[in-house]
Amino acid sequence: MADLSKHPCFNAEARLQFGRIHLPVAPACNVQCKFCDRKYSCVNESRPGVTASVMTPAQAMVHLDQVVSQRSDISVVGIAGPGDPFANTEATLATLKLVHDKYPNMLLCIATNGLCLSENIERLAELNVSHVTVTMNGINPDIVKNIYTWVRLGDRYFTGIEAAKILIARQIEAIKALVEHGIIAKVNTIIIPGVNDNHIQEVSKQVAAWGADIQNCIPLMPVAGTPFGVLEQPAPSLIHKIREQAGKCLPQMAHCSRCRADACGLLSEKNTQVRAAV
Ligand code: SF4
Ligand code: SF4
């Protein structure tokens, strides 16, 4: 049985001792956030959506075997893109099953936008996935519609208020289902100045009411060439104020290191991607 206290992203004390490895098996995404540009092989960038390579589930296992043979501090295997795990459901579930079968004591973790999560929660529970992060940037469609260019369900693309309503409804359903299944639910919220910065406490209040365990309010990292690339990064005083307000509703995580989709090692290790040898 995996030891939940060894998750470095959820336990501040564990982060100096235990590390995580991301397996980049999920290249496609089913939404387009206005702050995201998924690039491959950018050695200068350390942020979600960036990876040196995309792997098949079998390649990811070779990579994992290699890493755990070299270091004994990896306690978590995460799938965090570079797209969304559930825009690549087959590869995600196949990878989780391979890891679960070979390393039953490894914690399994997923980071997703939540659009196609709820229909996969039974399967995640069967595979003993213990931690799931849902990025929820708002609960008001009038705000959320400004954050996403489109949302895709199957072959259908949605935009504007319709896209926002679909995404929010499915995120709510997913967070509640995680809680029902006893899976630890973290909500990531990107602080986007002038877009959702006055709305975040409302998000915190609601996700706490639905039973989420913890929230991570992450400052926007403006990426050149994206619609939000022209925005300012939130000031430290704004981040502090938002985390303080949000902390009145549910515990806050403040040690996020904005990991790449192929991050590996302790959270404190810089640019900790490991290039796949497969
Ligand atoms: Fe990028 Fe993640 Fe948004 Fe998809 S959900 S567009 S990968 S930030
Ligand atoms: Fe899980 Fe996110 Fe930590 Fe990766 S960075 S192990 S996906 S919580």
Side-chain angles (χ1 to χ4, degrees):
M1 177 73 183
D3 179 352
L4 299 186
S5 69
K6 288 187 179 171
H7 198 311
C9 309
F10 287 76
N11 297 290
E13 290 110 62
R15 76 179 193 272
L16 302 174
Q17 228 181 320
F18 296 104
R20 47 52 184 129
I21 179 170
H22 284 172
L23 299 177
V25 295
C29 197
N30 44 13
V31 309
Q32 180 58 60
C33 305
K34 290 188 180 172
F35 46 75
C36 178
D37 178 19
R38 296 193 301 286
K39 281 192 186 140
Y40 297 13
S41 284
C42 179
V43 291
N44 297 314
E45 292 206 66
S46 182
R47 61 178 167 79
V50 173
T51 180
S53 60
V54 169
M55 299 175 193
T56 64
Q59 288 171 329
M61 282 306 285
V62 174
H63 176 49
L64 176 62
D65 288 344
Q66 196 177 55
V67 170
V68 297
S69 73
Q70 288 164 2
R71 52 190 302 165
S72 58
D73 60 353
I74 301 296
S75 61
V76 185
V77 169
I79 299 181
D84 188 84
F86 301 108
N88 308 266
T89 306
E90 231 171 89
T92 295
L93 294 178
T95 306
L96 291 171
K97 170 138 182 42
L98 289 170
V99 179
H100 174 259
D101 289 351
K102 187 156 186 187
Y103 298 101
N105 291 329
M106 196 68 89
L107 292 166
L108 298 178
C109 192
I110 294 276
T112 169
N113 57 46
L115 180 70
C116 296
L117 171 58
S118 63
E119 53 266 49
N120 289 294
I121 287 178
E122 289 286 341
R123 188 72 189 116
L124 296 185
E126 283 165 14
L127 290 167
N128 282 345
V129 172
S130 52
H131 297 73
V132 172
T133 297
V134 177
T135 298
M136 186 167 205
N137 296 316
I139 53 166
N140 177 341
D142 282 320
I143 293 174
V144 171
K145 72 174 191 214
N146 299 320
I147 302 175
Y148 299 86
T149 308
W150 50 257
V151 162
R152 177 174 59 78
L153 271 182
D155 292 337
R156 284 195 67 190
Y157 284 78
F158 300 88
T159 57
I161 197 94
E162 198 182 3
K165 283 183 179 167
I166 290 170
L167 180 61
I168 295 166
R170 293 179 73 95
Q171 289 172 326
I172 296 171
E173 194 185 343
I175 291 169
K176 289 180 175 173
L178 287 173
V179 174
E180 273 164 28
H181 284 79
I183 297 175
I184 296 175
K186 171 154 74 73
V187 172
N188 278 359
T189 305
I190 314 293
I191 304 170
I192 311 168
V195 179
N196 71 347
D197 50 336
N198 288 321
H199 175 59
I200 292 179
Q201 197 177 13
E202 200 52 39
V203 176
S204 313
K205 207 184 293 173
Q206 279 303 323
V207 300
W210 298 323
D213 294 275
I214 188 166
Q215 186 183 28
N216 186 3
C217 297
I218 307 170
L220 173 75
M221 187 185 281
V223 176
T226 66
F228 286 169
V230 294
L231 298 182
E232 292 289 313
Q233 253 193 304
S237 56
L238 177 66
I239 299 167
H240 180 77
K241 189 178 111 198
I242 286 174
R243 286 181 175 163
E244 198 175 54
Q245 288 172 341
K248 292 178 185 153
C249 307
L250 80 170
Q252 298 291 300
M253 168 184 167
H255 59 275
C256 170
S257 49
R258 299 201 277 203
C259 311
R260 297 166 52 108
D262 58 355
C264 175
L266 300 179
L267 298 187
S268 54
E269 288 175 46
K270 272 273 169 216
N271 268 328
T272 50
Q273 82 275 16
V274 173
R275 197 168 289 274
V278 288

